[in-house]
Amino acid sequence: MSDALKIETAEILIVGAGPAGSVAAALLRQQGRQVLVIEREQFPRFSIGESLLPQSMAYLEQAGMLQAVVEAGFQFKNGAAFMRDGCYTDFDFRDKHSEGWGTTYQVQRASFDHILASEAERFGAEVRYRHEVMNIELGQGANGGARVTVKDPDGQQYVVNAGFILDASGFGRILPRLLKLETPSNFPVRGAIFTHVDDGIRAAGFDRNKIRVTVHPKHCDVWFWTIPFAGGRCSQGVVAETSFLDSYQGTPTERLRAIIAEEPSLHALLANANWDTPARQIIGYSANVEKLWGQGYALLGNAGEFLDPVFSSGVTIAFKSASLATAALQRQFAGETVDWQADYGVPLRKGVDTFRAFVESWYAGGFQKIIFHEDKQPDVKRMIASILAGYAWDQSNPLVKETSRRLTALEALCS
């Protein structure tokens, strides 16, 4: 039956119209490439990962999308604040070691992602919503590309012969599943319960220009995010190992509120909140793969690897992957020989591994000792601010160049 299916061609097929896919599509259209984006959902659609990092602004600027994001009226963000046992500390991203953007936005992903996808269409990419990739056969398409089977909203299937595939399918992880590229994450199985609320926050000391991360008073590996949006709403969630989350009874909203009630400062902060949106839960989101590229394809963003939401690194890694992959494709289409491991896999993982070291230190409690230490050295604080702002690829930062050694030394000094 497959021989009877309608067949079309795409120079580059992108799976997923989220941040990685949309930015990649725009960058490729700037190169003059023909781009088809297949997106399973209908936008706008709900997603988390709402607190951007300043480093991401450079990639939006590169993709020609910055003006559309700026004009959308999202909540301004200039830093990150942390609360533990009544102790408060914050980092202003404008006072950082690395050059570059020091401010960004906190965004409702439904509208943010829709804006980026619409911008990709403005640049000439074709985006097909509610179309789902059913199968990918590498090396079976025209000219040795991939043969991709797609199902449309009516359930009809068709084939796209794609010259190259960028998998930006996020947690759907299309190619890792089909090609059996997935490997176990080295992180414990954690989950998140989250929602949006009309926050009703009236506290004079609450800074809506910063994400707030609050540590559970009894468990250093349990933490809450509070991400203020424009218009008096916020994203509120808790992250913990699934065994901890499963020890609470009731609906996701009831469980989330019960856990929040155990942290006095956060409970007081949300005292006037209107819990008008049912909470959701995701589990086992951390993921890894054997390799980030192969013959005729590359994995972008969460399709390749997702660490943890604690430092909001997901969208920045997605944008970085799109920038690196499209630069490699530009050289490849120009007839150059591209070493995808050297030009894509290695540089992308360098920043991911920097974030990974900080995530591991956070959950072990060491990084918490550093950021809550009373006597912070200004230069070290600026180095940390750069990491938290997303500049995990800046080799001029000693905490990037020698992440593990310097983190270990800082933990020892602050213990």
Side-chain angles (χ1 to χ4, degrees):
M1 290 179 63
S2 61
D3 292 337
L5 297 180
K6 174 186 173 184
I7 298 176
E8 54 186 288
T9 61
E11 193 170 27
I12 299 174
L13 177 69
I14 299 177
V15 185
S22 292
V23 165
L27 292 172
L28 288 166
R29 286 298 303 145
Q30 291 175 19
Q31 299 174 19
R33 307 267 69 90
Q34 183 238 338
V35 180
L36 173 62
V37 183
I38 300 297
E39 169 55 52
R40 182 179 60 184
E41 306 290 339
Q42 178 65 56
F43 281 22
R45 55 87 179 96
F46 183 88
S47 181
I48 55 172
E50 301 140 323
S51 194
L52 303 183
L53 303 184
Q55 169 73 93
S56 64
M57 302 294 279
Y59 301 116
L60 290 171
E61 194 170 26
Q62 180 188 10
M65 298 175 168
L66 185 59
Q67 181 175 347
V69 172
V70 169
E71 292 178 352
F74 293 118
Q75 171 65 47
F76 177 78
K77 175 186 175 183
N78 61 21
F82 299 87
M83 177 73 77
R84 186 184 69 177
D85 290 335
C87 296
Y88 175 91
T89 188
D90 63 21
F91 292 82
D92 189 325
F93 293 159
R94 295 165 296 186
D95 184 19
K96 65 185 188 314
H97 170 89
S98 303
E99 296 294 327
W101 285 83
T103 62
T104 185
Y105 298 101
Q106 298 180 147
V107 301
Q108 293 94 331
R109 285 285 300 278
S111 54
F112 177 74
D113 289 11
H114 197 198
I115 287 170
L116 299 194
S118 298
E119 286 293 283
E121 289 182 292
R122 180 174 68 85
F123 279 103
E126 181 181 357
V127 181
R128 295 179 185 172
Y129 296 105
R130 296 177 60 214
H131 287 239
E132 183 176 2
V133 171
M134 306 304 294
N135 191 39
I136 297 176
E137 300 169 90
L138 295 174
Q140 300 302 308
N143 301 318
R147 178 183 172 91
V148 183
T149 305
V150 183
K151 183 173 69 175
D152 70 17
D154 297 322
Q156 300 298 310
Q157 294 191 3
Y158 60 95
V159 168
V160 179
N161 285 326
F164 197 93
I165 296 177
L166 293 176
D167 185 353
S169 59
F171 293 123
R173 302 171 62 75
I174 299 296
L175 271 176
R177 287 191 294 103
L178 291 176
L179 302 181
K180 296 180 171 53
L181 299 174
E182 294 179 305
T183 59
S185 169
N186 63 338
F187 291 130
V189 178
R190 296 191 177 96
I193 306 176
F194 52 89
T195 188
H196 288 177
V197 300
D198 182 4
D199 58 61
I201 296 174
R202 303 190 182 102
F206 182 68
D207 188 350
R208 298 194 73 89
N209 295 331
K210 293 178 175 64
I211 181 177
R212 178 174 292 199
V213 173
T214 305
V215 182
H216 191 281
K218 294 182 180 179
H219 308 280
C220 74
D221 61 341
V222 178
W223 61 276
F224 307 86
W225 77 67
T226 305
I227 302 173
F229 295 139
R233 296 186 66 79
C234 78
S235 175
Q236 181 61 57
V238 62
V239 174
E241 292 190 25
T242 51
S243 58
F244 179 88
L245 298 177
D246 291 344
S247 67
Y248 293 80
Q249 303 297 315
T251 66
T253 301
E254 290 167 341
R255 293 159 66 205
L256 175 59
R257 296 188 68 175
I259 301 171
I260 288 173
E262 297 174 358
E263 208 298 312
S265 66
L266 185 57
H267 183 62
L269 191 69
L270 297 173
N272 298 312
N274 178 17
W275 297 77
D276 54 6
T277 305
R280 308 182 186 201
Q281 177 173 339
I282 58 171
I283 60 173
Y285 44 72
S286 295
N288 203 350
V289 289
E290 293 177 357
K291 56 182 181 177
L292 293 167
W293 62 275
Q295 185 63 42
Y297 74 88
L299 309 179
L300 305 185
N302 294 349
E305 185 166 11
F306 182 75
L307 296 174
D308 189 273
V310 65
F311 300 128
S312 306
S313 61
V315 172
T316 299
I317 292 172
F319 286 163
K320 179 69 174 183
S321 68
S323 179
L324 287 171
T326 55
L329 281 171
Q330 184 172 29
R331 293 178 49 220
Q332 188 164 297
F333 277 106
E336 298 181 36
T337 299
V338 174
D339 183 337
W340 276 86
Q341 182 63 9
D343 296 341
Y344 181 69
V346 170
L348 181 58
R349 283 202 189 276
K350 281 184 178 179
V352 172
D353 287 344
T354 297
F355 281 125
R356 183 194 309 280
F358 277 81
V359 170
E360 290 174 343
S361 180
W362 168 268
Y363 281 106
F367 186 59
Q368 295 182 31
K369 292 178 183 177
I370 295 170
I371 62 173
F372 287 107
H373 195 268
E374 293 181 356
D375 185 21
K376 297 185 186 68
Q377 297 300 309
D379 56 338
V380 175
K381 187 173 183 179
R382 283 192 288 271
M383 293 175 197
I384 294 172
S386 287
I387 303 295
L388 297 178
Y391 293 91
W393 291 267
D394 178 13
Q395 290 293 311
S396 75
N397 185 346
L399 284 177
V400 173
K401 190 173 184 180
E402 300 178 296
T403 306
S404 296
R405 186 178 75 83
R406 290 185 178 271
L407 256 184
T408 302
L410 281 174
E411 291 173 10
L413 286 171
C414 296
S415 296

